[in-house]
Amino acid sequence: MNHTRRAALGSFAALGTAGLAGCLGGVRPTGGTGTDAADANDETAAGAPPTADEPRRLAYDRDALVDESLDGGVGKDGIPSVDDPAFEPVVESDLVDDAPVFGVVRDGEAKAYPQRVLAHHEIVNDVVGGDPIAVTYCPLTGTAQGFERGETTFGVSGRLVNSNLIMYDRATESWWPQVLATAVEGPMRGATLREFRVVWTTVAEWRSARPDAVLMTDDTGYVRRYGNDPYGIYAPLDGYYAAERTIFPPLSEPETGHPKSVVLGARTAGGAVAFDKRTLLDRRVLTGTFEPDGDPAVAVADATLSTGYVYRTSADATVEPDGDGYLLTGRGAGPEGPFEPTELPLERVLALDAMWFAWAGFYPDTGFAGEHTGAGYGR
């Protein structure tokens, strides 16, 4: 793995309670969105990744994000992507029940990718449901996300911004900060990738929900100690994942809440919202707003996978639990439910788990709902 990050982690552990987090000099939020016709190039190299029709909110100017990117110390592809993953039936896996995995379902095909493997590779280029995709994970920000990749593959650039992985696509060499899903440098600058939901869950939960699924194995083509996460452990929570301080300075620091508590975040072209995940799983329904545009949002919990889903809603609509499902009232004519958490008749917005400091750093004006519960990245 990354010698520089290993050294930083050693120093991090030795510092005890001394914090490393700070505010990067000079960067100020500017607002705006990812796509800019003056930047995005429709005639990029053959095999460029497909792009989304709708951009995502960017709170900072792209030039500022490039200027504030940091060398992670490994160099380009120093953390190697897995381009030929191997799988086994999830029901045959010997991973412990509470091992974190990242679940994906496309066109009826279900797969899961263990966090213990992705911590050493960060990107898996794969095919699911006949579609070429990339499943990506940044250990420093606790973010697992999926992207369509078309004819190209994604690699690890070796750079970070706001502690977050900057990917690059091998067709155009453009830089894509993972959380932003938007190119900040290169021929694709200003374009937004097509995303799909990746569910952070456990082996036991995924096995129960999708016994037909396959699970990525340690047979990656690389020699790694996959049982040894250089950043810490999740069960019981320890190391980098539990501590308040970060290794690299964030773009900005949240005023309240444990920096590494988990939030379920969602963003549109006009705003961002975050829901404290522990609060959501406890209460089952939370309401918030995409900021700065002020559009209302609602999040509902899925107890089966210990996750949640985010929807755009309206001021007159009410969502409330009903058994294992949810009722939707106050929006005029139409069925009230109960609905499954993924099937409310509202516009669902792609959501992802993230460490609070990372989400608040990228989206300092984000809406927030919940109680900032938890100490460390507990789920």
Side-chain angles (χ1 to χ4, degrees), residues 96-320:
V96 296
D97 283 351
D98 61 355
V101 296
F102 310 133
V104 172
V105 179
R106 289 180 71 84
D107 196 25
E109 184 176 13
K111 291 187 174 184
Y113 304 82
Q115 181 272 340
R116 70 196 290 271
V117 177
L118 270 289
H120 291 263
H121 294 283
E122 303 191 2
I123 296 175
V124 177
N125 292 295
D126 196 14
V127 177
V128 182
D131 298 327
I133 57 93
V135 174
T136 68
Y137 169 62
C138 179
L140 295 178
T141 55
T143 44
Q145 296 170 244
F147 303 99
E148 296 183 14
R149 60 181 174 85
E151 298 176 12
T152 190
T153 56
F154 288 96
V156 177
S157 72
R159 299 192 69 82
L160 305 165
V161 62
N162 195 39
S163 293
N164 186 231
L165 158 70
I166 296 180
M167 315 179 298
Y168 79 96
D169 72 89
R170 294 182 172 123
T172 75
E173 301 281 331
S174 298
W175 287 6
W176 307 86
Q178 181 208 30
V179 168
L180 301 179
T182 300
V184 297
E185 186 78 317
M188 301 291 288
R189 175 184 161 96
T192 300
L193 292 170
R194 293 182 191 171
E195 296 180 85
F196 59 86
R197 180 65 191 269
V198 173
V199 175
W200 186 309
T201 182
T202 66
V203 169
E205 289 174 333
W206 194 250
R207 183 191 299 122
S208 176
R210 298 298 310 225
D212 60 324
V214 293
L215 181 73
M216 182 180 173
T217 71
D218 293 357
D219 184 13
T220 62
Y222 298 93
V223 178
R224 297 289 188 277
R225 295 178 62 192
Y226 291 120
N228 181 22
D229 186 333
Y231 299 95
I233 54 177
Y234 276 103
L237 200 67
D238 192 19
Y240 174 83
Y241 305 123
E244 290 195 26
R245 55 206 182 279
T246 59
I247 297 173
F248 300 97
L251 287 172
S252 63
E253 295 182 280
E255 295 181 358
T256 58
H258 193 292
K260 292 173 189 167
S261 61
V262 64
V263 297
L264 185 69
R267 63 271 197 270
T268 63
V273 64
F275 299 89
D276 180 80
K277 192 171 182 181
R278 283 188 176 177
T279 307
L280 175 61
L281 293 177
D282 179 51
R283 297 184 186 175
R284 297 189 58 194
V285 177
L286 288 175
T287 57
T289 54
F290 290 97
E291 297 295 347
D293 66 9
D295 288 347
V298 62
V300 297
D302 179 352
T304 302
L305 296 173
S306 298
T307 191
Y309 300 91
V310 176
Y311 294 85
R312 290 182 194 256
T313 185
S314 59
D316 60 347
T318 300
V319 178
E320 57 186 16

Side-chain angles (χ1 to χ4, degrees), residues 8-29:
L9 282 165
S11 300
F12 171 82
L15 281 172
T17 58
L20 292 175
C23 205
L24 291 185
V27 152
R28 293 292 182 271

Side-chain angles (χ1 to χ4, degrees), residues 18-46:
L20 292 175
C23 205
L24 291 185
V27 152
R28 293 292 182 271
T30 61
T33 58
T35 299
D36 186 331
D39 289 330
N41 186 349
D42 291 333
E43 298 181 357
T44 51

Side-chain angles (χ1 to χ4, degrees), residues 327-354:
L327 294 178
L328 175 61
T329 58
R331 62 184 183 92
E336 295 185 350
F339 300 101
E340 295 294 318
T342 58
E343 296 177 353
L344 270 69
L346 299 169
E347 180 187 351
R348 184 141 62 98
V349 181
L350 185 140
L352 59 127
D353 287 16

